[in-house]
């Protein structure tokens, strides 16, 4: 199954649209189970290509196609630690969408209790999306990932500012894995 594709993508050089494009006529398809390496010289467009795949950049021409439910997380080369955050707070930033869905579910529950028309359908849709993103088990899975990356529960309250560069990178990996919730393998 094709998860993400670039179709005839061209990307102009930022601030120099008259210059030759950074990327021109790119066609790329990534399928489920594939592993891809990206290698090139500095300035060749590797980071821009990743930004296109992740939706942080829009192509000048062409299109980016993602299968329903596919999300792309990019681990920054030099992740900046969140100011004043603990290990748990920084990692849990990736659970933001789940938290928003949970708040919307609570609101829909109140609407159902007040017999607001359509509230039950809204609640069902929100619940399905919440479950697709990992549901109530997402925090537990995040704790498992943190533990696997060397951050046992005894380190969750440790300030990110005290971490080494390597530890910050591992923490950023944990957050990226859980960005938008921990998706189930349905892609």
């Amino acid at each position: 199954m094709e998860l993400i594709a670039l179709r005839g993508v061209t990307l102009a050089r930022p601030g120099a649209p008259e210059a030759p494009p950074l990327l021109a006529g790119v066609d790329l398809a990534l399928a489920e189970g594939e592993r891809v390496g990206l290698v090139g010289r500095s300035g060749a467009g590797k980071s821009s290509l990743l930004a296109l795949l992740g939706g942080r950049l829009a192509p000048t021409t062409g299109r980016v196609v993602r299968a329903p439910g596919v999300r792309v997380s990019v681990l920054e080369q030099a992740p900046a630690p969140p100011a004043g955050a603990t290990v748990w707070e920084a990692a849990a930033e990736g659970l933001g969408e789940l938290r928003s869905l949970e708040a919307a579910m609570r609101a829909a529950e109140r609407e159902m209790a007040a017999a607001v028309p359509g509230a039950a359908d809204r609640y069902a849709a929100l619940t399905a999306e919440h479950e697709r993103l990992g549901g109530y088990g997402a925090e537990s899975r995040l704790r498992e990932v943190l533990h696997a990356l060397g951050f046992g529960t005894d380190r969750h309250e440790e300030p990110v500012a005290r971490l080494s560069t390597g530890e910050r990178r591992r923490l950023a990996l944990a957050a990226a894995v859980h960005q938008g919730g921990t998706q189930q393998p349905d892609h």
Side-chain angles (χ1 to χ4, degrees), residues 9-14 16-25 41 43-45 60-61:
V9 166
T10 297
L11 183 65
R13 290 189 181 275
E18 67 286 343
L22 184 59
L23 302 172
R41 63 177 171 69
T60 307
T61 61

Side-chain angles (χ1 to χ4, degrees), residues 10-93:
T10 297
L11 183 65
R13 290 189 181 275
E18 67 286 343
L22 184 59
L23 302 172
V26 175
D27 289 310
L28 170 72
L30 300 174
E32 187 172 357
E34 286 185 329
R35 296 179 190 271
V36 179
L38 185 58
V39 179
R41 63 177 171 69
S42 181
K46 299 179 301 292
S47 295
S48 296
L49 178 63
L50 291 173
L52 282 166
L53 291 170
R56 294 186 304 159
L57 275 181
T60 307
T61 61
R63 60 192 177 105
V64 179
V65 180
R66 286 178 202 81
V70 168
R71 294 171 192 263
V72 177
S73 293
V74 177
L75 180 60
E76 298 300 326
Q77 293 179 28
T86 66
V87 166
W88 177 255
E89 291 165 344
E93 282 183 3

Side-chain angles (χ1 to χ4, degrees), residues 97-177:
E97 188 173 350
L98 271 171
R99 299 288 180 257
S100 295
L101 281 168
E102 288 167 5
M105 289 166 59
R106 298 301 79 81
E109 288 170 355
R110 288 188 296 276
E111 290 174 356
M112 287 189 309
V116 173
D121 291 339
R122 182 169 169 253
Y123 182 79
L126 290 166
T127 302
E129 180 66 1
H130 184 261
E131 196 57 36
R132 188 186 70 75
L133 292 176
Y136 293 109
E139 264 191 37
S140 175
R141 284 187 294 281
L142 178 55
R143 288 181 201 285
E144 290 172 8
V145 168
L146 282 171
H147 181 75
L149 293 173
F151 298 103
T153 54
D154 60 317
R155 298 195 65 197
H156 288 190
E157 296 305 314
E158 188 174 338
V160 173
R162 290 190 193 158
L163 301 178
S164 71
T165 302
E167 289 172 322
R168 287 180 186 177
R169 195 130 175 87
R170 290 195 323 265
L171 180 58
L173 177 61
V177 166

